[in-house]
Amino acid sequence: MKLVIAVVQDKDSNKLAQNLVKADIRATKLASTGGFLHAGNTTFMIGTDDEMVDEVMQIIQQSCKAREQVVTPMSPMGASMESYIPHPVNVQVGGATIFVLDVEQFAQF
Amino acid sequence: MKLVIAVVQDKDSNKLAQNLVKADIRATKLASTGGFLHAGNTTFMIGTDDEMVDEVMQIIQQSCKAREQVVTPMSPMGASMESYIPHPVNVQVGGATIFVLDVEQFAQF
Amino acid sequence: MKLVIAVVQDKDSNKLAQNLVKADIRATKLASTGGFLHAGNTTFMIGTDDEMVDEVMQIIQQSCKAREQVVTPMSPMGASMESYIPHPVNVQVGGATIFVLDVEQFAQF
Ligand code: NI
Ligand code: NI
Ligand code: NI
């Protein structure tokens, strides 16, 4: 038995939750406070058999992999609307940090 | 030293907290977001000596064991009040999922 | 790789977060619900290389060590203002409870 702890961005949280349900993998979500290093995180705790860890890792990767997104920024504060020419920029979204811990004992009542 | 992580239903959370206090066992509660798999959970982190793990497990079981509860459902939406005959149903409440992890190092400042 | 789980008082949480950032150590904050044993806690999860655990422990200690603070209590409810003579008292603030767990597998996507 392993405990997989995955920290993912809020925006990927629903997709990950749905994909875990589809794969019949049980999980618990912990609220991460608006953070300093990882603002807008959700932490998943996933208990899983040893031989399912790879599948869980794949589901997390498919749901949350870091990727670039094209964003067209709003007019910057103070810039006159006339002089502002919006141009799209790439920002990185997504990503997951995963820790796999060994579970010595597991119980359900 | 072990770290016991217990995911319990919100409705059992206060009872478990009180029973841990009574047994002089220290714990920390983590907020679980309204979840997909375990809506309305609370996650307890309980640090405990190796020889106390069984007692902690028993306290969790006594506080949170899955059980049936008789509920009389409200009139279903759209049913006319005349034709609705309420009858009690059994629903399962409670339950706990518990992971025991080994703690390599423990400190308090 | 280790996972350091540190439960600290809310009032030390910002200082710890800043000191971790300064040391370039990544962390995630979990919201602790208003608790029974540790009201107003924040739980930090810090993934770190084995050889950095001591430094992480030192940063936590420097940021959160239990200490006395002199507080002058407000007039107690119901006491007449004339008869109330405020005198400062020492209260203990701060403190941290730290668990170091071994990480079997670590991944970032
Ligand atoms: Ni991270
Ligand atoms: Ni569960
Ligand atoms: Ni504590």
Side-chain angles (χ1 to χ4, degrees):
Chain A
M1 188 88 193
K2 303 296 175 195
L3 183 64
V4 178
I5 297 179
V7 184
V8 309
Q9 286 196 359
D10 284 347
K11 62 175 62 179
D12 292 327
S13 166
N14 281 340
K15 196 178 7 164
L16 177 54
Q18 287 163 11
N19 288 340
L20 288 170
V21 170
K22 262 186 232 163
D24 205 22
I25 292 164
R26 307 186 66 195
T28 298
K29 278 197 291 183
L30 300 175
S32 308
T33 51
F36 52 114
L37 292 174
H38 298 279
N41 281 330
T42 301
T43 297
F44 284 75
M45 290 198 315
I46 306 162
T48 182
D49 287 333
D50 295 27
E51 61 271 21
M52 288 281 289
V53 169
D54 286 349
E55 189 183 332
V56 170
M57 299 288 264
Q58 276 174 31
I59 291 172
I60 297 169
Q61 181 162 13
Q62 284 158 9
S63 307
C64 310
K65 202 176 184 324
R67 65 225 174 244
E68 296 214 319
Q69 208 171 54
V70 176
V71 173
T72 303
M74 306 284 287
S75 162
M77 294 290 272
S80 73
M81 288 305 290
E82 294 84 34
S83 65
Y84 178 65
I85 303 165
H87 55 280
V89 293
N90 286 329
V91 294
Q92 198 192 298
V93 296
T97 301
I98 304 168
F99 305 95
V100 182
L101 309 176
D102 188 48
V103 175
E104 289 207 339
Q105 202 178 336
F106 173 71
Q108 274 185 305
F109 299 126
Chain B
M1 187 89 193
K2 304 295 176 197
L3 183 64
V4 178
I5 297 180
V7 183
V8 309
Q9 286 196 359
D10 284 346
K11 64 174 61 179
D12 292 326
S13 165
N14 281 340
K15 197 178 6 165
L16 176 53
Q18 286 163 12
N19 288 340
L20 288 170
V21 170
K22 261 186 233 165
D24 206 22
I25 292 165
R26 307 185 66 193
T28 298
K29 279 198 291 184
L30 300 174
S32 308
T33 50
F36 52 113
L37 291 174
H38 299 281
N41 281 332
T42 302
T43 297
F44 284 75
M45 290 197 315
I46 306 162
T48 181
D49 287 334
D50 295 28
E51 62 270 21
M52 287 282 288
V53 169
D54 285 350
E55 188 183 333
V56 170
M57 300 287 263
Q58 277 174 31
I59 291 172
I60 297 169
Q61 182 162 12
Q62 285 158 9
S63 307
C64 310
K65 202 176 185 327
R67 62 221 177 250
E68 297 214 320
Q69 209 170 54
V70 176
V71 173
T72 302
M74 304 286 287
S75 161
M77 294 289 273
S80 73
M81 288 304 291
E82 294 83 34
S83 66
Y84 177 65
I85 302 165
H87 55 280
V89 294
N90 285 330
V91 293
Q92 198 191 296
V93 295
T97 301
I98 304 168
F99 305 96
V100 182
L101 309 175
D102 189 47
V103 175
E104 288 208 337
Q105 203 178 336
F106 173 72
Q108 275 185 306
F109 299 126
Chain C
M1 187 88 192
K2 303 294 174 196
L3 183 63
V4 179
I5 296 180
V7 183
V8 308
Q9 286 197 359
D10 285 346
K11 63 175 63 178
D12 292 327
S13 165
N14 282 340
K15 198 178 5 165
L16 176 54
Q18 287 163 11
N19 288 340
L20 288 170
V21 170
K22 263 187 232 164
D24 206 23
I25 293 164
R26 307 185 67 195
T28 299
K29 279 196 290 184
L30 301 174
S32 309
T33 51
F36 52 113
L37 290 174
H38 299 281
N41 280 330
T42 302
T43 297
F44 284 76
M45 290 197 314
I46 305 162
T48 181
D49 288 332
D50 295 28
E51 61 271 21
M52 288 282 288
V53 169
D54 285 350
E55 189 183 332
V56 170
M57 300 287 264
Q58 277 173 32
I59 291 172
I60 297 169
Q61 180 162 13
Q62 284 158 9
S63 307
C64 310
K65 201 175 184 328
R67 66 227 175 244
E68 297 215 318
Q69 207 171 55
V70 176
V71 174
T72 302
M74 305 285 288
S75 161
M77 295 288 274
S80 74
M81 289 304 290
E82 294 84 32
S83 66
Y84 178 65
I85 302 165
H87 55 279
V89 293
N90 285 330
V91 293
Q92 198 191 297
V93 295
T97 301
I98 304 168
F99 305 96
V100 182
L101 309 176
D102 189 47
V103 175
E104 288 208 338
Q105 201 177 338
F106 173 72
Q108 275 185 305
F109 299 127

